[in-house]
Amino acid sequence: MIDKTRWKIRNRLEELQNREKIVINTKILKTNQDSNVVKSEIKKVYKYYRCDYCNDEIRLDIKQEERTGGVIIFPHSLTKRGKLTLVLCNKCLKKALKEFED
């Protein structure tokens, strides 16, 4: 069972604030998986972010208006620790705001 408190933003605030830049992951599809001797061809399918709250994929090959989330900058007035840049999906935005308001 996955520990849900592990993904809470408050528990990982130091780690999220000190990261250099937001990581863009790439989904890879391997062809010819029949043999481990023959080099299989690697095809990049799409690029995506990982939500900092729930760890879901946010695909970048979809138009920005139709995406399920994106990069959000929380100001100092909300975090009380300086600017904080997070990647959040739409369903986690309200939950993340509640964490900072409490």
Side-chain angles (χ1 to χ4, degrees):
M1 182 157 178
I2 298 174
D3 185 17
K4 294 279 184 176
T5 58
R6 182 173 160 235
W7 298 111
K8 295 275 182 168
I9 293 173
R10 273 205 180 151
N11 297 344
R12 302 183 314 132
L13 197 58
E14 196 74 27
E15 171 194 342
L16 294 172
Q17 197 166 24
N18 291 334
R19 68 180 168 190
E20 296 285 322
K21 59 181 181 178
I22 295 172
V23 179
I24 298 175
N25 302 310
T26 305
K27 189 74 163 191
I28 295 174
L29 179 69
K30 291 184 180 181
T31 58
N32 192 10
Q33 295 180 355
D34 301 338
S35 173
N36 60 352
V37 179
V38 179
K39 185 176 178 182
S40 60
E41 188 177 315
I42 297 174
K43 180 182 175 187
K44 295 179 183 178
V45 181
Y46 58 86
K47 294 185 178 187
Y48 63 94
Y49 290 130
R50 282 270 178 206
C51 177
D52 289 328
Y53 195 86
C54 68
N55 209 27
D56 282 347
E57 288 184 1
I58 302 170
R59 291 179 61 160
L60 297 177
D61 62 337
I62 302 172
K63 291 182 187 176
Q64 189 170 3
E65 297 85 28
E66 298 170 1
R67 284 187 198 153
T68 59
V71 179
I72 298 165
I73 299 172
F74 285 104
H76 173 74
S77 60
L78 191 62
T79 61
K80 309 284 191 278
R81 301 184 101 191
K83 266 195 216 178
L84 182 64
T85 305
L86 297 175
V87 177
L88 294 173
C89 55
N90 294 340
K91 65 181 181 181
C92 298
L93 181 60
K94 285 185 180 179
K95 296 174 189 174
L97 282 172
K98 260 190 184 171
E99 272 193 48
F100 288 116
E101 288 173 353
D102 291 341

